[in-house]
Amino acid sequence: MNAEFQTWILHAFLIFCRIGACMMLMPGLSSSRLPVQVRLFFAIGLSLALLPVVEPQIQSGGNPSTVPSLLWTIVTELGTGAFIGFLARIFFLALQALLAASSQIIGFTGLAGTVVDDGEQAPEIATLLTLVATALVFLSGLHWQLLRGLVDSYSQMPMGQFAGAARFLTAVVDQLGTTFILALRITSPFFIYSLIVNFAVGLTNKMVPQIPVYFISIPIVTAGGLLLLYFMVTEMLTDFLDAFGAWVTGM
């Protein structure tokens, strides 16, 4: 085995570390419903496909010459890939959390389904809309923009160079704040609806204490929440997809 082939194998493995770590957290591709073998071979194939594109940037930074430097490069590549994948996953975690809260405030929590990205149980509304949002990301081609961001990350975070914990933590905190405000803005009609309806129910119960208004109003509140979801679901998913696309494009 000549030195050139050894260098090629090393570069392919290091690219696989970043790509594979990102895919472990990337929305949709990290789903446990995909067999492990499928995700593994997809990551390997994608790493080999991107090798000619990013290899010039890798060569400009030099190859690790010792075992400790090689181990450090592997750790930094795994951390960088996981960092990029986690930033993308935060969007869906925020959406799922606020949709679960919206389901609870309209009383639609009797059924539970499995979220597409993991094995946790969530209300059916959160499960359905998270699945639709994940499918729209792939149908709109935004996953290719995320892969483009992975390629561009080699110029912003070169291989083997640790960007610093402060930079990573700052990016995560900023992403958490931005995405949860986005999710709160998307689901705000349900919170406003719940406030108005519960105020009206409480006022009615105060005025007519002989009637069990609370138990009578439960199906009415749920029906009104589902009707609100019917009229708002298109705008909710459109706003989410636009925000996710803007973040991916600006990576």
Side-chain angles (χ1 to χ4, degrees), residues 4-246:
E4 183 179 355
F5 186 70
Q6 290 179 355
T7 303
W8 184 84
I9 293 294
L10 177 61
H11 290 170
F13 174 73
L14 293 176
I15 294 173
F16 171 77
C17 290
R18 184 176 294 199
I19 298 294
C22 180
M23 287 186 56
M24 286 195 305
L25 296 173
M26 184 178 174
L29 295 178
S30 61
S31 174
S32 58
R33 290 175 172 80
L34 286 176
V36 178
Q37 293 83 355
V38 174
R39 287 182 283 171
L40 175 62
F41 285 111
F42 183 76
I44 293 175
L46 187 60
S47 302
L48 294 177
L50 295 179
L51 179 59
V53 180
V54 301
E55 191 174 17
Q57 300 178 8
I58 297 175
Q59 290 178 346
S60 62
N63 297 323
S65 56
T66 61
V67 174
S69 62
L70 176 60
L71 294 177
W72 173 252
T73 303
I74 293 174
V75 170
T76 56
E77 288 304 294
L78 291 173
T80 302
F83 169 70
I84 297 174
F86 182 66
L87 289 182
R89 191 177 180 85
I90 287 177
F91 273 90
F92 291 83
L93 292 177
L95 180 65
Q96 176 187 337
L98 270 297
L99 286 176
S102 301
S103 301
Q104 292 178 356
I105 62 178
I106 66 175
F108 195 77
T109 57
L111 299 175
T114 304
V115 184
V116 66
D117 282 336
D118 49 42
E120 297 182 359
Q121 296 292 316
E124 286 293 337
I125 292 178
T127 302
L128 176 61
L129 295 188
T130 304
L131 174 61
V132 174
T134 304
L136 287 176
V137 168
F138 288 91
L139 290 174
S140 59
L142 290 178
H143 59 293
W144 296 116
Q145 294 293 331
L146 186 57
L147 293 178
R148 179 198 57 79
L150 271 174
V151 175
D152 294 340
S153 68
Y154 283 94
S155 59
Q156 302 176 7
M157 292 176 283
M159 181 174 292
Q161 297 184 13
F162 183 61
R167 178 181 177 183
F168 287 166
L169 291 176
T170 301
V172 170
V173 171
D174 292 343
Q175 190 81 323
L176 284 171
T178 302
T179 53
F180 272 90
I181 290 176
L182 168 68
L184 182 61
R185 186 176 74 248
I186 291 175
T187 57
S188 59
F190 295 97
F191 291 92
I192 297 174
Y193 167 78
S194 174
L195 180 64
I196 296 174
V197 170
N198 287 318
F199 177 78
V201 169
L203 184 62
T204 305
N205 190 32
K206 188 69 174 179
M207 297 176 62
V208 191
Q210 299 84 1
I211 302 176
V213 179
Y214 175 76
F215 298 100
I216 297 175
S217 64
I218 289 178
I220 300 176
V221 171
T222 303
L226 294 177
L227 185 64
L228 179 63
L229 176 64
Y230 173 78
F231 287 108
M232 295 295 300
V233 63
T234 302
E235 288 77 10
M236 292 168 58
L237 292 175
T238 301
D239 291 344
F240 176 79
L241 203 64
D242 291 342
F244 184 76

